[in-house]
C-alpha cells in the first residue's frame, strides 16, 4: 500500500513538472510572437512616419504662399506633433519601460493642448494632467518596474530629468 502511494505521488509530481514545462514553453512562444507583432507594428508606424515626414516637408512651401498662414501653421504643427508622437510610440514599443509610456502620454496631451482650440477649463485640466505625469515620473517612478524585456534581457534605465 505504501509503495503504491509513493509511486502515485511520484507520478503526479512528474505530471505536474511536465505540465509546468509545457506551460512555460507556451508562455515563451506567446511572448516571442507578441514581440514579433510589436516589431511589425513598429516597422509599419516607422514607414508611415517617413512617408508623412516627406509630406510635412512639402507643407513648408505652402506656409509661405498660404494667405491664411495662421491656420496653415496650426495644421503644420499638428502634423509635426503627430510625427513626434509616432516616434515616441516606437520608442515605447522597443524600450518597454514605464518612462517611455509616460513620455508618449506627455507628448499626446501637450499636442492636444497646443494644436486644438480648447476651453480654459480643458486647458487647466490638461496642465494638471501634465503636472501629475511629471509628479509620477519624479516621485512614484520605480526603476525595478519594467526592468526586464519579455525575453529576459535587462533594460537600461535612464534617470528621469529633474
Amino acid at each position: 500500500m505504501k509503495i503504491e502511494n509513493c509511486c502515485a505521488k511520484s507520478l503526479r509530481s512528474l505530471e505536474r513538472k511536465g505540465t509546468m514545462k509545457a506551460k512555460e514553453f507556451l508562455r515563451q512562444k506567446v511572448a516571442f510572437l507578441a514581440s514579433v507583432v510589436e516589431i511589425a507594428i513598429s516597422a509599419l508606424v516607422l514607414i508611415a512616419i517617413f512617408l508623412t515626414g516627406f509630406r510635412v516637408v512639402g507643407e513648408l512651401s505652402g506656409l509661405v504662399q498660404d494667405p491664411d498662414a495662421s491656420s496653415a501653421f496650426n495644421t503644420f504643427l499638428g502634423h509635426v506633433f503627430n510625427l513626434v508622437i509616432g516616434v515616441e510610440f516606437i520608442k515605447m514599443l522597443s524600450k518597454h519601460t514605464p518612462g517611455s509610456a509616460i513620455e508618449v502620454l506627455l507628448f499626446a496631451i501637450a499636442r492636444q493642448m497646443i494644436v486644438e482650440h480648447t476651453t480654459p477649463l480643458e486647458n487647466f485640466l490638461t496642465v494638471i494632467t501634465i503636472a501629475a505625469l511629471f509628479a509620477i515620473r519624479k516621485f512614484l517612478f520605480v526603476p525595478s518596474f519594467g526592468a526586464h524585456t519579455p525575453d529576459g534581457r535587462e533594460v537600461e534605465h535612464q534617470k528621469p530629468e529633474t
Side-chain angles (χ1 to χ4, degrees):
M1 190 73 141
K2 287 186 179 185
I3 295 174
E4 290 175 0
N5 283 340
C6 181
C7 290
K9 287 180 183 178
S10 297
L11 186 58
R12 277 181 262 162
S13 175
L14 285 174
E15 286 174 354
R16 277 190 230 124
K17 287 180 183 177
T19 303
M20 296 304 269
K21 285 183 180 181
K23 285 181 181 179
E24 185 60 35
F25 175 78
L26 289 174
R27 282 188 184 108
Q28 288 175 352
K29 293 301 174 190
V30 168
F32 173 77
L33 289 174
S35 295
V36 169
V37 170
E38 274 184 342
I39 292 168
I41 290 170
S42 296
L44 289 174
V45 171
L46 188 60
I47 291 168
I49 288 170
F50 279 124
L51 294 174
T52 307
F54 290 126
R55 186 172 175 193
V56 168
V57 170
E59 287 181 11
L60 283 174
S61 63
L63 286 175
V64 175
Q65 301 168 355
D66 195 339
D68 187 18
S70 176
S71 176
F73 179 70
N74 199 25
T75 302
F76 173 77
L77 196 58
H79 292 159
V80 170
F81 257 115
N82 286 340
L83 292 175
V84 171
I85 291 169
V87 169
E88 289 298 322
F89 178 72
I90 291 171
K91 289 163 78 176
M92 179 187 75
L93 288 176
S94 63
K95 286 184 179 180
H96 290 232
T97 62
S100 60
I102 290 172
E103 288 175 11
V104 171
L105 289 172
L106 283 170
F107 279 112
I109 293 168
R111 180 206 181 277
Q112 180 72 19
M113 183 176 176
I114 293 170
V115 175
E116 303 295 324
H117 298 289
T118 56
T119 65
L121 177 62
E122 290 172 327
N123 288 341
F124 178 69
L125 293 174
T126 302
V127 169
I128 289 174
T129 304
I130 290 173
L133 285 172
F134 274 113
I136 288 169
R137 189 170 181 205
K138 177 148 179 96
F139 298 112
L140 301 177
F141 190 75
V142 179
S144 63
F145 180 68
H148 294 86
T149 60
D151 61 354
R153 289 181 291 130
E154 192 168 321
V155 175
E156 294 179 25
H157 288 287
Q158 297 176 348
K159 291 187 178 178
E161 295 150 12
T162 54

